Amino acid sequence: MSKNTVKPALTPKPRKRAKRHTETTQFDAFARRILRAYARRVADGDIENLRALVSLSTELDALARAAVQGLHGKPYKYSWQEIADRLGITKQGAQQRFGEPSTRDALDRRLLESGMGVTVATLAQVYADHYPGNPPASRCPGCGYAYPDRVAECPTLATVRPLLYRRRHEDKTALAVLSGDQHADLHAPVTARLRAAVRQSASVLPSPDPRSTLFDLNGKDPAQ
């Protein structure tokens, strides 16, 4: 007698489990729940993992750049304008923040392209795009520049701030793009820097990019 007494013709085959399709929005909700749970665990006395939790912001920034570069590259080839529209920022801001690493510490392209003829409207928009936030993030929202200790200005903002402050009366309507915090910090830069330093430890302000010599930072209006 055969050891195999099962008759294949009479035994139904087990059904294959249907492949579950998870929407990206479900992944998003799941990731957010995990992060909130992680934060609660640390807040509940787990001080040894505080540094690891805070470091996630840097990793998330790197992952966001990888995602954007995937969308911008083959086979999708989304334009920088399409990417910027989804992020609610300017095309130049998206390109500088998520583009090639060699461009992130350089001055904003709008300044380099305008040169001596830069307008107050352009200065105001660039200032708004590179404003670090309150409290400041770990990287510039406009170009992705990683702030050193005790610094909350990227090279672009360090160049634009004094220029915009000195020329603010030339076109007051251009300042309408600034939020309340941005407007207040423009008129009280020392206070802004002190507030930013609360998040960080001691160092010095970064030197502006050498190309910032296109603009006179000593108080002289380049238009004169």
Side-chain angles (χ1 to χ4, degrees), residues 14-196:
R15 292 183 179 181
K16 290 185 178 179
R17 183 176 296 178
K19 186 177 181 180
R20 297 177 62 184
H21 181 67
T22 303
E23 298 289 344
T24 305
T25 52
Q26 293 176 290
F27 270 113
D28 177 80
F30 174 72
R32 290 174 186 272
R33 288 197 301 271
I34 290 294
L35 290 174
R36 286 194 292 266
Y38 188 4
R40 287 195 297 268
R41 291 177 68 92
V42 173
D44 193 24
D46 188 5
I47 193 170
E48 298 302 329
N49 277 302
L50 176 61
R51 183 174 183 177
L53 175 63
V54 173
S55 69
L56 285 178
S57 62
T58 300
E59 187 167 350
L60 285 172
D61 189 75
L63 292 173
R65 287 199 301 273
V68 169
Q69 289 170 5
L71 292 170
H72 182 61
K74 294 180 180 180
Y76 307 107
K77 293 187 177 180
Y78 283 100
S79 68
W80 284 116
Q81 188 60 62
E82 290 174 306
I83 292 170
D85 290 343
R86 269 63 172 188
L87 295 174
I89 60 178
T90 64
K91 173 184 174 181
Q92 293 89 345
Q95 190 169 2
Q96 189 166 18
R97 179 176 180 182
F98 298 106
E100 293 300 321
S102 60
T103 66
R104 291 184 201 135
D105 293 351
L107 287 178
D108 191 291
R109 292 185 179 187
R110 288 166 288 185
L111 301 181
L112 299 176
E113 291 169 358
S114 300
M116 300 293 286
V118 65
T119 65
V120 176
T122 296
L123 291 173
Q125 187 60 63
V126 172
Y127 178 87
D129 290 344
H130 291 264
Y131 183 72
N134 184 20
S138 61
R139 290 177 177 270
C140 172
C143 62
Y145 176 81
Y147 301 122
D149 289 343
R150 202 179 173 82
V151 174
E153 289 188 333
C154 66
T156 289
L157 188 63
T159 299
V160 168
R161 183 192 289 278
L163 285 170
L164 181 59
Y165 180 77
R166 291 179 178 87
R167 298 183 58 190
R168 66 192 186 282
H169 297 303
E170 294 178 18
D171 185 0
K172 293 183 178 180
T173 59
L175 301 185
V177 301
L178 304 184
S179 67
D181 280 345
Q182 292 167 354
H183 195 276
D185 286 356
L186 175 65
H187 288 78
V190 174
T191 301
R193 290 174 188 144
L194 289 175
R195 186 161 61 237

